[in-house]
Amino acid sequence: MKTITQDTIPSNTGRTYMVKKGQHIRVSGKSIVDFVPFAYPNLRERFDQSRTKAFHRRIFISTGDYLISKFNNPMLKIVEDTYKEGTHDLQRGTCNGRRWRMLEAQGAEALKPYAHRNITKLPDHGCWENLTEALKPYGVAAEDIPSPFNIFMTLEIDGKTGEMRDTTMRPKETAHVDMIAEMDCLLAISACPDMQVGGKDIDILLYEAD
Amino acid sequence: MKLIKQETIRNNTGWAYVVQRGQRIRISGRTIVDFVAFNHSNLQDRFDQERTKGSQDKLFLTKGDFLATKANRPMLRIVEDTYTEGTHDMEKGMCSTSSYQIKAKLGKLDQYQEQPLGEVPDHGCWENLTEALKPWGIAREDIPNPFNIFMTMEIDGKTGKLAHTAIRPSKTAYVELEAEIDCLIGISACPDITVGGKPVDVMVYEE
């Protein structure tokens, strides 16, 4: 195994990494990670939640599954997933300061979903802003950042009623998702502030397997 | 009621139109309709499945619910929904040449085999919407995943299974939306290869 990059993304910040076809990226953490791939160099080919779900006929992905682009191309394949307590999310977009400000404008209700954590104030920014900032050097507009593969984000979903609820289910000990690139990709990754449990730093390892 | 526009969208074709704030658009049919919307004052601010689901904590929309843009802006509100047999979808993207090709290549077309599958269409909703939205200079990769009207999926929240069904309106049903901002609307009458697509009727009016 040849390490290419090793990095720690501090909570509620974002970074980008270039991964070449055949290389691996391992994302390790205990709280939500917003993970967004773009094809490189054609950054207009973006990851697509719906294409990914349609391709697998499943709303969750894990070991053996692909992240699919809007053009129906496999971008990355999950080769290992050690998160056993729950599932990764393909329903939600990115948390963002803009929405929190809208909720605050409606009053105290804004903090209600996080009552169990005694939070008195919502962050001034979230994953959307982190990803926007990280992607600036590549000229990717905020609107063009696709909804992510939300690693370690476990939602409770009722397929009958359609009810969708946040949970505090996360890896008990540090877990990782290991992916191999099926094409050259620009990866944008945000260590989510994860308001349900409190965001933690995320470890990134880029490597070539033997 | 003042009628502004009436249109029948033929099966497996698309149509686009600008609906002004306060106007209503009624979409009537018996098979899947791929419905996308753009903030007309900023076409980069598009309908967003995830924002729509996330801000309302639900997978399915019906009367009273709204369609949101990526910037979290409510763009259209559902004021009437007469489809009672099933739900509308916000899991899937658009059917397309490339999606049919990739499934054919991988032998996955069997997922549509509720009835014998004839020839795979040479195009789908993605191509229909791309064509319809060309006058507004919208690139195909910038067409958001739609609000898929009358598309009833079977979802298992435990296993994650997402399966097609043949559940559709037994008689013509409609969804009526009121624009909360000026919206560019793109609509495709889906070939709906599970049941066979039919034309879709659209009416834009003012109260």
Side-chain angles (χ1 to χ4, degrees), chain A residues 21-35:
Chain A
K21 184 178 175 177
Q23 292 178 345
H24 286 245
I25 173 146
R26 179 177 293 189
V27 179
S28 308
K30 294 184 70 173
S31 54
I32 299 171
V33 184
D34 282 38
F35 182 90

Side-chain angles (χ1 to χ4, degrees), chain B residues 155-173:
Chain B
I155 297 173
D156 186 321
K158 291 277 172 250
T159 64
K161 182 187 172 195
L162 176 70
H164 284 283
T165 73
I167 301 170
R168 300 289 182 272
S170 47
K171 283 180 265 181
T172 299

Side-chain angles (χ1 to χ4, degrees), chain B residues 1-154:
Chain B
M1 182 178 120
K2 186 185 150 204
L3 185 66
I4 293 164
K5 183 85 184 166
Q6 205 158 13
E7 186 81 24
T8 296
I9 308 173
R10 285 173 296 116
N11 177 35
N12 208 5
T13 67
W15 182 75
Y17 193 73
V18 177
V19 177
Q20 311 286 335
R21 179 180 175 179
Q23 291 179 347
R24 291 182 173 198
I25 178 162
R26 178 184 292 189
I27 296 143
S28 310
R30 296 188 61 180
T31 54
I32 299 172
V33 184
D34 281 38
F35 180 94
V36 295
F38 302 79
N39 174 354
H40 188 243
S41 63
N42 171 15
L43 295 178
Q44 260 196 305
D45 190 23
R46 312 161 189 128
F47 167 66
D48 192 279
Q49 284 188 348
E50 293 73 52
R51 295 284 194 242
T52 301
K53 286 184 278 192
S55 56
Q56 296 167 99
D57 289 326
K58 53 172 79 169
L59 302 182
F60 309 129
L61 297 187
T62 186
K63 187 175 173 174
D65 297 330
F66 61 86
L67 279 69
T69 72
K70 182 92 169 181
N72 304 293
R73 193 177 281 113
M75 58 195 324
L76 294 135
R77 188 171 294 277
I78 302 177
V79 290
E80 194 60 70
D81 180 0
T82 69
Y83 180 38
T84 49
E85 295 89 341
T87 50
H88 311 293
D89 170 75
M90 285 197 292
E91 299 301 316
K92 290 256 183 180
M94 302 152 275
C95 64
S96 65
T97 309
S98 56
S99 67
Y100 287 131
Q101 280 167 351
I102 195 172
K103 283 170 195 136
K105 204 167 96 187
L106 297 166
K108 281 192 165 188
L109 277 169
D110 62 333
Q111 66 177 293
Y112 297 104
Q113 295 285 23
E114 293 288 337
Q115 58 184 45
L117 181 70
E119 277 182 27
V120 176
D122 66 347
H123 68 282
C125 291
W126 197 16
E127 290 79 14
N128 295 335
L129 292 169
T130 302
E131 194 58 33
L133 290 163
K134 253 187 197 150
W136 285 273
I138 292 167
R140 65 188 185 124
E141 60 270 29
D142 290 341
I143 299 172
N145 292 315
F147 172 42
N148 294 310
I149 299 171
F150 307 137
M151 181 176 202
T152 305
M153 301 297 297
E154 186 191 322

